[in-house]
Amino acid sequence: MELIVLLATTGRNGLPVLVGFCAAVLIHVVHRVRKAHRFARDASSGPVDVGEKMQATKERALGEWTPVKFDYPELEPSKDHFSTLKPIPYRPFKWGAYHITMGIRPLPWDEWIELDREFPQYHKVCDYRIRTSGDRLLQVHEAQPGIVDSGHAAAKEFMYEVAEYLSRRHPDVYKVVRHPASEREDENGWYGEGRIKAITVIPFGTTYELDIDEPLKVARMLMQEDFAILNEGTDGRYYLQAGALCIAGSWRLEDKIGMPLEDIHISGNVPQYQTRLQTSMGRFFRRLPVDKPVVRNNYGFQVVQEPAARRPAPAPGSLLDVDPDELAWATTMNGDEHMSEYERAKHINDQHDGADSEKVETPTTPATPAMFRLRTERQTLRRLPRTGAVVFTIRVYQTPVEVLASEPGVPGRMASAIRSWPDDVARYKARGVYESVLPYLDKCHAEQVARGIISGEEKNSTYPL
């Protein structure tokens, strides 16, 4: 694309065009040759020890990565089958003032990917999404010459990492077939064992051939999480170069693929990103070690039309028929997922403000407590040892507010959190659509105090639960 722009903007003078074109080609060739030599050197010398590599982080050139030798810590197999596990009740909101931070904490190695009894429904929804819209929801961005590599290699590495982790953490759910062990470390799986050739999800009866099948699809269908893969560019920025976003709810991969991290956040109007988060986030991504993954939680609220009230009723086999709780896409709030121009929360806010905007199908009757959902995300960040890419996994949880209202201390804390948002955060989270739930939460809180379930002065919480 850079060469096309150069040719289009040099005017009618042929010499500048030729000189510019040749210079651009020469720079590009030199960059690729140097990179090929570096990769050959890395392959011949073998992976670098992870400790040694982390010590050299500050010295390495931007956009360059030498594979590191890293053994994932030994995993204790889960004692419980996923079908017996309730979703973890994340309640990542607090009493009092709202603060904008990255909110990261260390991630225990045996908690990288979570399974619970909702896995079959997530699998059903994601299978439908990939079959009907896979080209939009699963994407790898090609290399941007001289800036950043494509996401292909990182997507493949991530697929193998997911298969290794899940088959060891949940051996009663996943069965693997391996290649014979190789003398070359980079051709093996974890702990020197042969690389996984095929993996079967036993309860679903599905088998994936890792040498053949598309890596993004395999990784996504093995678990409940969406994920995004970011590569470091020669400018030091991290680019979204691959991902699988089947249940994003309110943002689309096709709008963000290929963008650097800051453009993703700025184009999404993330409140106070440039003043409070951009510098620290850029520094964090650059320094993230292979052996120190992190986790964070966030939350928002979603209005979901009650299935019996939908007009017209969803067609059999449609997304809303398969996913009536709008896990995949927040149709009630955001309208048609396929609208030509979409910006998170814009359309619903415009309608709330009375501004002209593309029509959004909203409930024809006032929202009731039964229509409100707490939508939380558990996000992990981990650097892959072989490609150096950073993988961002996103596990979505949806909980009816009526269920939350019965939990001790939660309705009052939730109402306090909603009221604490500054104006820019309130608009980003589309508070105007669901703030009518506040009197209901206040009532539930007062009832808990009156019944002695909590004290009126209680302002405690164990974040993020």
Side-chain angles (χ1 to χ4, degrees), residues 90 112-114 122 126 158 220 223-230 240 242-251 253 264 294-299 327 375-382 391-397:
Y90 292 112
W112 181 34
I113 297 170
E114 297 177 344
Y122 280 61
C126 290
F158 178 64
R220 186 60 191 85
M223 58 185 183
Q224 290 172 254
E225 280 90 342
D226 278 349
F227 59 88
I229 297 175
L230 299 106
L240 176 55
L245 294 175
C246 295
I247 54 173
S250 291
W251 68 289
L253 181 61
I264 292 172
V294 298
V295 60
R296 66 183 300 271
N297 295 79
N298 69 12
Y299 72 97
L327 175 69
R375 187 179 176 104
T376 68
E377 291 181 352
R378 175 186 179 270
Q379 306 166 349
T380 75
L381 285 158
R382 185 188 157 209
V391 178
F392 180 68
T393 69
I394 311 157
R395 170 65 198 279
V396 176
Y397 296 82

Side-chain angles (χ1 to χ4, degrees), residues 101-170:
T101 66
M102 286 182 65
I104 58 175
R105 56 191 188 278
L107 171 67
W109 287 108
D110 60 357
E111 296 178 11
W112 181 34
I113 297 170
E114 297 177 344
L115 293 183
D116 59 45
R117 66 189 184 189
E118 294 185 349
F119 189 17
Q121 174 62 14
Y122 280 61
H123 188 273
K124 176 182 176 182
V125 170
C126 290
D127 177 66
Y128 175 91
R129 296 280 278 166
I130 292 172
R131 285 189 291 104
T132 58
S133 304
D135 59 333
R136 295 175 43 253
L137 305 174
L138 279 61
Q139 294 189 16
V140 176
H141 200 269
E142 296 303 327
Q144 302 178 49
I147 301 176
V148 66
D149 288 336
S150 79
H152 288 288
K156 191 170 184 179
E157 181 182 8
F158 178 64
M159 172 188 67
Y160 283 108
E161 289 288 297
V162 170
E164 290 279 3
Y165 175 90
L166 289 173
S167 63
R168 297 173 188 276
R169 180 71 172 138
H170 299 277

Side-chain angles (χ1 to χ4, degrees), residues 171-366:
D172 55 347
V173 179
Y174 303 90
K175 182 177 67 175
V176 298
V177 175
R178 295 179 179 273
H179 289 287
S182 171
E183 294 182 359
R184 289 188 49 168
E185 289 186 2
D186 62 344
E187 292 180 350
N188 286 329
W190 287 7
Y191 317 132
E193 296 182 23
R195 178 175 291 176
I196 295 176
K197 180 180 180 181
I199 183 168
T200 299
V201 188
I202 298 170
F204 304 146
T206 54
T207 297
Y208 301 99
E209 299 287 341
L210 274 60
D211 296 339
I212 301 171
D213 293 337
E214 207 287 311
L216 295 178
K217 177 181 177 181
V218 174
R220 186 60 191 85
M221 293 302 292
L222 289 177
M223 58 185 183
Q224 290 172 254
E225 280 90 342
D226 278 349
F227 59 88
I229 297 175
L230 299 106
N231 286 354
E232 185 180 276
T234 56
D235 55 3
R237 300 192 293 176
Y238 276 77
Y239 290 79
L240 176 55
Q241 290 296 91
L245 294 175
C246 295
I247 54 173
S250 291
W251 68 289
R252 308 183 304 190
L253 181 61
E254 64 197 86
D255 299 329
K256 308 295 183 181
I257 191 73
M259 282 187 178
L261 194 63
E262 59 265 37
D263 288 356
I264 292 172
H265 288 81
I266 293 170
S267 65
N269 298 313
V270 174
Q272 302 176 42
Y273 171 76
Q274 291 172 282
T275 57
R276 301 291 298 275
L277 295 173
Q278 183 172 353
T279 300
S280 59
M281 192 176 293
R283 186 185 306 118
F284 168 80
F285 270 76
R286 169 71 176 167
R287 296 178 177 176
L288 179 65
V290 167
D291 58 348
K292 289 182 172 59
V294 298
V295 60
R296 66 183 300 271
N297 295 79
N298 69 12
Y299 72 97
F301 294 89
Q302 189 173 331
V303 179
V304 178
Q305 179 65 284
E306 295 180 83
R310 295 190 188 277
R311 297 291 182 274
S318 65
L319 176 59
L320 285 175
D321 181 49
V322 174
D323 179 27
D325 215 38
E326 301 183 15
L327 175 69
W329 182 255
T331 303
T332 301
M333 293 182 66
N334 295 326
D336 184 3
E337 180 183 10
H338 304 291
M339 64 178 65
S340 57
E341 294 185 7
Y342 170 75
E343 179 182 309
R344 187 189 185 282
K346 177 182 187 302
H347 296 279
I348 195 67
N349 277 322
D350 285 349
Q351 186 176 52
H352 178 71
D353 296 341
D356 292 332
S357 65
E358 197 170 337
K359 181 175 176 54
V360 177
E361 295 296 330
T362 54
T364 56
T365 57

